[in-house]
Amino acid sequence: MTPMYLATRDEKKVKEMLGAQCDVFTQNDVDFMIAEYFEHVEEAKWAVEVCAEKMPGKVVAVNMCIGKDGDMHGRSTFECGQILAGTG
């Protein structure tokens, strides 16, 4: 997660921060990426998009910290699953 997502919901800024994090892992040639503990499906989706762009050919997994009612913006668990599956 990024500290600026809730404060700004600015896709460009959040993706820049996520990209800077990915750059470190890319430089160290990690085998795969696990992006985790997202409370908001939108930010999780952006993380998957950035990882796929910055780390082509690497397996990316994303985990969310949500309850039975879904994410912190009220999107159901079903909808979160659909969004993330559609992201790749």
Side-chain angles (χ1 to χ4, degrees):
M1 297 187 317
T2 64
M4 71 176 52
Y5 175 76
L6 280 179
T8 69
R9 303 232 3 225
D10 184 311
E11 182 176 0
K12 183 179 178 188
K13 288 181 181 180
V14 170
K15 283 185 169 182
E16 284 175 2
M17 180 172 275
L18 292 166
Q21 294 171 356
C22 281
D23 287 342
V24 174
F25 296 111
T26 300
Q27 291 165 7
N28 287 283
D29 195 29
V30 297
D31 295 323
F32 57 90
M33 174 58 72
I34 300 173
E36 62 182 357
Y37 215 67
F38 291 94
E39 296 175 335
H40 309 273
V41 71
E42 183 176 56
E43 187 180 21
K45 178 182 183 293
W46 294 347
V48 172
E49 292 170 347
V50 170
C51 288
E53 177 188 326
K54 293 275 189 173
M55 305 172 76
K58 303 289 184 177
V59 173
V60 176
V62 64
N63 296 312
M64 292 191 68
C65 172
I66 58 176
K68 62 182 173 74
D69 296 325
D71 80 351
M72 299 296 284
H73 287 293
R75 293 193 182 217
S76 71
T77 55
F78 180 80
E79 188 177 4
C80 290
Q82 284 184 312
I83 290 168
L84 291 172
T87 303

